[in-house]
Structures are given as C-alpha cells and as structure tokens.
Amino acid sequence: MVILTLNCGSSSAKYQVYDWVNKDILAVGVVERIGLEYSTIEHKANGKEEYHAEFSSPTHKEAIELIIRMLLDDEYGVISDLKEIGAVGHRVLHGGEVFKQSALVTDEVIEQLKKVIHLGPLHMPANIMGIEAARKAMPSVPQAIILDTAWHQTMPEEAFMYAVPYEWYTDYNVRRYGFHGTSHLYCAKRAAVLLGKKNEDTNVIICHIGNGASISAVKNGVCIDTSMGLTPLEGLIMGSRSGDIDPAIIPYMMETTGMSAKEMDTVLNKKSGLIGLCGKSDRRDVLKASKEGDKKAALAIKMETRRITKYIGGYATLFGGNLDAIIFTAGVGEMAPHIRLGACQGLEAIGAKLDEHKNKVCFSRNGEFEINTDDSKVKILVIPTDEELVMTEDAYALMTGTYDVHTNFHYTFEDKDYVNKSRELALQKDIAKDPELATILVKQR
C-alpha cells in the first residue's frame, strides 16, 4: 500500500508517493506554472529516468489528472492500479478556529474550509481545488487534510491574541495562527530523540528558514509562541514578504501613492522582503551579489539575520534558563551557513555558542548535525525537515482510525532506530565527498 501526499500552492502542485510497508519514497514531483500559458512537470521515480515536460494546466484539476497518469505510466510510474493508494494527504494552509488537528475529508469539511478562504486567499482556493480534483479522480480512496496551523493550537491566549478590539477575535477570528506547522512538528519530535529526552521534557526554538520563514518556541514539547500571525506575512524577513513592519506604514503609503488594499497586499507579500531590498530572493543569489560588492544585498543579509537573532533572543526568555537547543531547518536553514552564522551572532548571551568551522562544513540536506561548540550550554542543531512524512503518517492513521492530536500521537520518526532510507544513501555520498560531515553528525542519544 502507498500513501500519496499533495501540496497544492497558488500555481503549483507538489506530490510524493510513499511505500508504507517498506517505509520508502517511491516518487516525488512537482507541477508548476498552473494557470499560465503553459505548465511544467518534473517527475522523479526510484530506479527510473527523470521526466520533464510542458503541458496545458489551466487549473489544479488538470495538474492532479496528469500526476495520476504519471504514477500509472508504464515507463515512469510506480503503481499499476489506483487501488494501491491507501490514502491521500493534502496540505492545507489554514484551519482557522475550526480545525485543531488533521481530519478526514468529507463534503462538510470542504464547506468549512471554504468559510476560512478569507484567512488565506492566496493559498486556500488552490488547496481546496486540489482536494476536490483528487476526490473526483479517486472517489473510493480516503483523503485527509493536514493543517499548517494545527501545530500552533497549543499557544496560550497571551501568545495568540492581538492587542486590538476584542470583537475582532470573536467576530472575525483575528488572532495569531502560525504556519509551517508540519515542519515545526517534525523538528520538535526529532529534536527530542536527538537530545535523548521525552517530548514533554524538550525545550527548543525552531527556525524554519526558506523562501517563507517562521520561528516556533517549543516548551515541554508543544508550541507556546510563533512568529507568523493571522497570515504568513508577519514575523521574519522572507524572500518576498516584509515580515514585521510598523502598521502605520500601510495607510501612509496607501494615502501617499493611491494604492488599493489589494495592491498593498501584493506589495507586502510578493514585492517586499529580500526582493524589495535588493531585487533577489534566492539566498545564494543574494550572497553572490553581496560578495561582488552589492551594498543592498549585503544590507539584506544583515537585516534578515538580525531579525532571526532578535526572535531567538526574545523567545529564549520564555524558558526560564532551560532552553535545550536552537534548530535550523528548511532550505535556507539547512543549506545556508552564512545565514546561520549571522543569526547566531550574540547568542552566547543565552548560552548558545556556534562553532564556525562546523557551521561552514555543514552543507548537506541529508543528515542531522550539531554545529555548536563543545562547551555550549545550548545545542545548535541542523535538522532536515520532512513535512511530507508528517502528512503521510497523519493520512495513514486517519485511514486506519489510529490518529490522535500530536500531543497524544506517536510518529515513526520518534523512534531511535528510525532511518530515512533515501536520505541515508544520499548522506553516505555526501560524506564520501566531505568526510568532515561525519564528525558533526548528531549521534542519537
């Protein structure tokens, strides 16, 4: 039996096929440019050549249909019949106040998701369209939603409420929700294993740094605060999102330039952050430009890392001196030593000392690494995230009736003997190229 996971973004659809029995990834892929003049698909299956093609995909319906055809294809596919798919897990951006945990999809669930589209207008329509397309293509297969916001539901009121009229919360659901929940959940559970602690005894700060970025404070194994808010716009400086700004800037610029609310939303979400500062969002391009003397790029790096440091320092005060580790994850967190270096400047004040050499050689997305100095009170870890595995396990558990909220549920990656087969093979190749990687691998305690 296999589990299919789908992550439908505003103009893309990522997917993964997981062999539940053998605990191995069979195929991964992504459809991009959905809704544009042409769309593309990139499909990778174990033991087979990669497949790339252009096709027409006006909506997510056509994208899902092509994904299914690829999975069944004689040359590139990994299954012979749709009956081999035991469940489908869908990543959903926003659960609002309605969904506190993953759930099986029903007509009623879809109607409830439609009621919170206004909380995530860029992503929710695509999420829902992907679910509806998959249900139509595979009507007899159980489908599940896995919410980005679910992990953060343990935050106390003083963390998730805003200092605005209270009726905004009761009447319009204005509150902090938080996102990247599956990533934060995975890293929190893995951190407990690596630290040799029970989940309920683990205190960590997780920095999910990618094009989108957020930080989660995890005390006694659950989220107590996070940097993103009502939407994914708040918090850190991101690839194209502004993160925290003075709210008065918004009406000031609208009145000054005549921008509409929709235009302002577009600027803050798609034309700000690193793109707004230096015209580039890929951290590799920003770093290259900085080294070549681009002052705006150099400023962008300093601003991004300073913001991360401020959040880490602020969250550290929530642990009463009992912080176990700071974790970096996601594409940038895992693969950008210069961002980690900048973000860790001054953290000696909270007992976290970065080993600059370990940090520099930590350039692999396949292993779990410890990059702090030997005498650092607080560990600094790099943990490759695995959001798809969280989605896969939730979907399987919902299908079998064994699922529960994450505080009561045990994931396979919480086991000490857990191994990601694909990553382990890739890690050995990385170590062969750079033996120093082996010296900073975290040994499970």
Side-chain angles (χ1 to χ4, degrees), residues 34-52:
I34 296 172
L36 300 180
E37 65 274 16
Y38 69 89
S39 302
T40 63
I41 184 169
E42 176 183 309
H43 176 82
K44 302 176 183 178
N46 285 351
K48 301 182 180 182
E49 290 187 10
E50 291 186 17
Y51 177 82
H52 300 264

Side-chain angles (χ1 to χ4, degrees), residues 64-105:
I64 300 299
E65 290 172 349
L66 177 59
I67 290 169
I68 291 173
R69 289 200 300 273
M70 289 304 306
L71 300 184
L72 292 167
D73 188 83
D74 290 338
E75 185 175 356
Y76 299 100
V78 292
I79 59 174
S80 57
D81 193 303
L82 285 181
K83 292 179 181 178
E84 294 177 42
I85 299 177
V88 181
H90 297 269
R91 183 179 183 181
V92 175
L93 174 81
H94 220 304
E97 288 282 320
V98 182
F99 295 102
K100 308 292 186 180
Q101 61 191 67
S102 300
L104 284 172
V105 177

Side-chain angles (χ1 to χ4, degrees), residues 8 54 67 78 123 143 149 161 194 213 242 258 271 286-287 316 330-331 334 336 379 427 433 437:
C8 292
E54 293 182 1
I67 290 169
V78 292
H123 298 83
Q143 317 246 345
T149 51
M161 287 295 294
L194 300 178
S242 66
K271 298 181 181 180
V286 178
L287 178 61
E334 296 164 21
K379 302 291 184 185
L427 177 61
K433 295 176 183 177
L437 283 174

